[in-house]
Amino acid sequence: THAFEKLLTSEEKKKGFLNGDFRKKGTAVTYELQLRTKSGNLFWASVYKASVKNNRGKVIGTLLSINKISKQKRELLWKEISSNILEKANREYISVNAFCREIFIELTRIVHMDSFSIALYDRENKLLSFPFFIDDKPTLSNYIQRKFDKGITEYAINKGSSMLLNERQITKIKGI
């Protein structure tokens, strides 16, 4: 087996990325795929494979270059998702709920979410309302509207920017 083969996911192996046709033809190929680290984590890579020939034109080896492109792929996906959301914002929707569901669907392409809500803050009356929420726990359904207090939503509003929080950060904010 090739060292490169150890990096391939079973799905990539099925697609024939170890195929040596390029070598027989004496050509070069470039493609993007997901590879697996020793620890099992996936990352995106740009792979360049080319035949190496001797001075008689006989193929004597293969040149392989692998460059991590996970960050670039993620940035491109965020741009695509943002663009899709903006495009959908310009459509006519029957309800705010339908538009919010579209936002949720787009975001789940890149982020796993157990819960998702869109909150509106009425500064004058110090009220939060949630015109849209998805939660795997029934607790949020009790808070279609509530007083502005201390919570994750209030933390985000006070911070003044959107955030992507993990479980540890949420626990720290809640003070648990």
Side-chain angles (χ1 to χ4, degrees), residues 34-45:
Q34 279 193 298
L35 298 175
R36 190 175 303 281
T37 63
K38 285 182 184 179
S39 62
N41 296 324
L42 293 174
F43 68 95
W44 277 99

Side-chain angles (χ1 to χ4, degrees), residues 13 21 26 49 53 60 66 76 79 89 93 102 106 108 111-112 120 122 127 148:
K13 286 176 188 172
D21 286 348
K49 293 192 302 188
K53 298 177 184 181
I60 58 169
I66 302 172
L76 282 172
K79 285 179 183 176
Y93 280 90
E102 292 285 343
E106 283 294 330
T108 57
V111 178
H112 170 78
L120 301 176
D122 177 352
L127 286 174
F148 190 87

